[in-house]
Amino acid sequence: MPTSPTGRDAAGPDSGGDGRDTDGPGPPEAHGRHGDTPPPRPDGAAPADDGPGASPGGRPHRRGDAVRRAGTLLAAATATMLLVTAGCSGGDGGGGGSEEERDRDLGSQNLDWKPCPAPSEAEGGGTAPSPLPGGTKWECSFMEVPRDWAKPEGETIELALIRAKARDQADRIGSLIFNFGGPGGSGVSTLPAAAQDFERLRARYDLVSFDPRGVGRSQPVECLDDPELDKYYAQDATPDDSAEEKTYSDNLNRYDSACEENSGADLPHVGTTNAARDMDLMRQVLGDDKLHYFGISYGTELGGVYAHLFPENVGRAVFDAVVDPTSTAVEGSLGQARGFQLAFTNFAEDCVARGDACQLPGSTPEEIQQFVIDLQNRLEKKPIPGIGDRELTQTQATNGIAQALYSKEYWPLLEQGLDEADGGDGALLLALSDAMNGRNREGQYSNLQAANAAINCVDFKERYSMEQTKARLPEFREASPIFGEYLGWGLMGCNHWPVPGQWETPDVSAPGAAPIVVIGNTGDPATPYEGARAMVQALGKGVGVELTYEGEGHGAYNSGNKCVANAVDQYLLNGKVPASGTVCR
């Protein structure tokens, strides 16, 4: 869950994941958005209804192997980027000359598709993706893009791509490009993990995703090393006195200085605008006249920016778990505070409704909430044993609670984790927090949160000092007794960042673009429901098509709801636009 100024989702990776994608509360550098849809499962965990695992072990696991990164969407969960231009849809992006002239050479490059290797450490690690039903194998390649789109003839960098070819090549529509949120989520590692949710769409599309610049194998942003990150994520992110405030500020400064030292040359060039321009080059290189796109969490903001820059190139597009493009950084964070609070209340009401089957103390949602607040306060004073020699701190517990609220499927893990933590065992909540932060069971971190920080801070102008942050805390506490203070202190996340931000809110107006189906979920914690309507209005008349899902969790298409799935499939596969205002229950 984000703890900083953008409200973007990061977890969400995404990637079931993005307030803005990842995009829930996260470490101080998460800078907002959560991207995942649904969130990554803690490593080693069986599906939530399979019962507890064996014993504690390392990465998200539920006592021992019980919390596993189920392969999907990162979290995540998300909003926006480095402007090298004023953002006009037909503009030259600051590089001079026409789009055709700028992209002529790179647009004709031939991709060398090869069998996919195992994900890199920056992508989260793991094994090479298995073949799809019918034996289709995943293919990977690299695409050259300008390092700086303002200097398109200059130095290039490589973006990592992955694809699985359409089953029916004779009736193939083209490529369907996915961004699962974050920002900072690896599409190369997420798409194979989530592919079963999109297998119907592979009937007529090549499924394609990528690691955006700064992410995974695509010139990844690097900050602190793994042992330093363990300490950083365990810190007290809700300081109570001047000494703790200084320590918190110093830790943020140390993190941002490490990012500058290790990736300073790349930091000005990550961001949503550049990623959108990369996607249009990708469209050309893949041989498509139009960009067919599925954006989740922060991926909806990226898609909106693309539509603004290239409205004439928009093909069939779907935005799910929608970031509110009209929200400033602080408004997005406040929205997430309310969203996660709503999700927790729904979780507590469900627990109470199950009577004696609920493991948590309390006969009302308010009593369960107070139990959690009391647990947070105890952990702030004294952490409890977690995994190995690592303890569960208040910060990690809050992060783990948020992670489990990304999907109703994980509510049993949350209930169990809270019950065990109350008894002195913090393994499960720590595992959930690790999943949010991209830590594997070997103690290695992906670059999810480093990329999340870099993209958020180059996108958003807002910088909050200690004094300004403290002045806003009452609003956050009112928005959420559980998550508010944590998200409020996160406003300082970009305060020490070495690169200035570029906007207050992104421009996603896209007059003349093809219809874009925009799906809002009434129970979404990371990208509150209101964001979908705001996106529809911002895209402009005749472009955004609003679809509502009355459900729980981050995202709707992978929820199992047939109404949502049918509406999306009919549009993407057959071009049938659903009636705007459709409600799925």
Side-chain angles (χ1 to χ4, degrees), residues 119-458:
S120 67
E121 181 179 327
E123 291 173 314
T127 58
S130 301
L132 288 158
T136 298
K137 295 182 179 180
W138 292 97
E139 299 175 307
C140 287
S141 188
F142 288 91
M143 182 185 80
E144 283 190 82
V145 300
R147 183 191 189 94
D148 182 355
W149 272 103
K151 301 175 182 177
E153 302 302 326
E155 182 183 0
T156 62
I157 60 174
E158 291 185 325
L159 302 187
L161 276 64
I162 188 170
R163 77 172 178 187
K165 289 184 177 179
R167 292 194 303 274
D168 186 352
Q169 289 292 310
D171 201 25
R172 176 181 173 274
I173 295 171
S175 300
L176 182 61
I177 296 176
F178 289 81
N179 181 282
F180 295 97
S186 166
V188 172
S189 63
T190 299
L191 181 57
Q196 62 181 4
D197 292 334
F198 307 105
E199 181 63 17
R200 293 186 304 275
L201 302 176
R202 196 168 66 86
R204 300 188 65 195
Y205 288 100
D206 295 345
L207 305 186
V208 177
S209 194
F210 64 108
D211 290 351
R213 54 176 64 213
V215 176
R217 292 184 193 269
S218 299
Q219 204 76 11
V221 173
E222 298 178 3
C223 298
L224 298 175
D225 63 25
D226 293 336
E228 291 171 324
L229 285 173
D230 275 345
K231 295 178 182 178
Y232 184 72
Y233 291 137
Q235 72 171 308
D236 185 351
T238 56
D240 299 312
D241 54 41
S242 58
E244 290 183 355
E245 289 170 0
K246 183 179 186 304
T247 298
Y248 178 69
S249 181
D250 288 347
N251 286 342
L252 292 178
N253 189 28
R254 188 176 302 111
Y255 183 94
D256 294 352
S257 296
C259 299
E260 183 177 23
E261 179 180 351
N262 294 321
S263 297
D266 295 314
L267 298 184
H269 306 301
V270 301
T272 307
T273 294
N274 279 346
R277 296 192 177 281
D278 293 341
M279 287 204 305
D280 199 61
L281 179 60
M282 193 181 307
R283 172 192 64 78
Q284 298 173 55
V285 172
L286 293 170
D288 292 329
D289 293 332
K290 302 288 185 181
L291 182 86
H292 306 299
Y293 181 73
F294 203 127
I296 300 165
S297 199
Y298 159 76
T300 66
E301 187 168 14
L302 173 58
V305 170
Y306 177 90
H308 172 69
L309 293 173
F310 307 101
E312 71 282 359
N313 295 341
V314 173
R316 300 175 188 175
V318 173
F319 295 174
D320 189 5
V322 184
V323 170
D324 184 346
T326 68
S327 289
T328 63
V330 67
E331 289 169 347
S333 290
L334 276 168
Q336 278 201 326
R338 298 185 189 101
F340 276 91
Q341 185 64 38
L342 173 63
F344 180 84
T345 299
N346 292 342
F347 157 77
E349 288 175 347
D350 177 79
C351 208
V352 169
R354 292 189 287 108
D356 292 342
C358 176
Q359 302 176 62
L360 304 181
S363 57
T364 67
E366 291 76 17
E367 290 178 354
I368 291 179
Q369 174 176 286
Q370 189 59 50
F371 158 73
V372 171
I373 293 171
D374 292 343
L375 176 63
Q376 289 175 310
N377 291 337
R378 281 165 29 212
L379 290 171
E380 183 173 28
K381 295 174 183 175
K382 185 176 181 180
I384 60 176
I387 299 169
D389 60 357
R390 298 166 62 223
E391 293 182 318
L392 176 73
T393 65
Q394 179 200 40
T395 297
Q396 290 161 323
T398 304
N399 209 36
I401 294 167
Q403 167 73 356
L405 291 173
Y406 270 94
S407 172
K408 189 173 182 178
E409 179 185 359
Y410 305 135
W411 286 4
L413 292 179
L414 175 56
E415 183 179 338
Q416 179 183 344
L418 290 170
D419 178 58
E420 291 175 356
D422 186 46
D425 179 359
L428 180 48
L429 286 185
L430 182 54
L432 287 162
S433 180
D434 284 348
M436 179 79 83
N437 294 334
R439 186 188 195 274
N440 69 18
R441 81 175 50 180
E442 286 75 38
Q444 299 169 334
Y445 286 87
S446 73
N447 90 311
L448 165 63
Q449 297 293 4
N452 184 275
I455 296 168
N456 277 315
C457 291
V458 80

Side-chain angles (χ1 to χ4, degrees), residues 486-553:
Y486 191 45
L487 284 164
W489 278 107
L491 293 178
M492 287 183 61
C494 293
N495 193 37
H496 302 286
W497 199 252
V499 177
Q502 300 301 312
W503 62 36
E504 292 183 2
T505 61
D507 192 345
V508 300
S509 60
I516 298 173
V517 176
V518 179
I519 312 170
N521 181 350
T522 58
D524 196 316
T527 49
Y529 170 67
E530 294 76 14
R533 181 155 296 175
M535 177 67 79
V536 167
Q537 294 173 346
L539 287 169
K541 187 175 181 180
V543 179
V545 177
E546 186 175 6
L547 176 64
T548 295
Y549 168 52
E550 294 184 351
E552 299 291 340

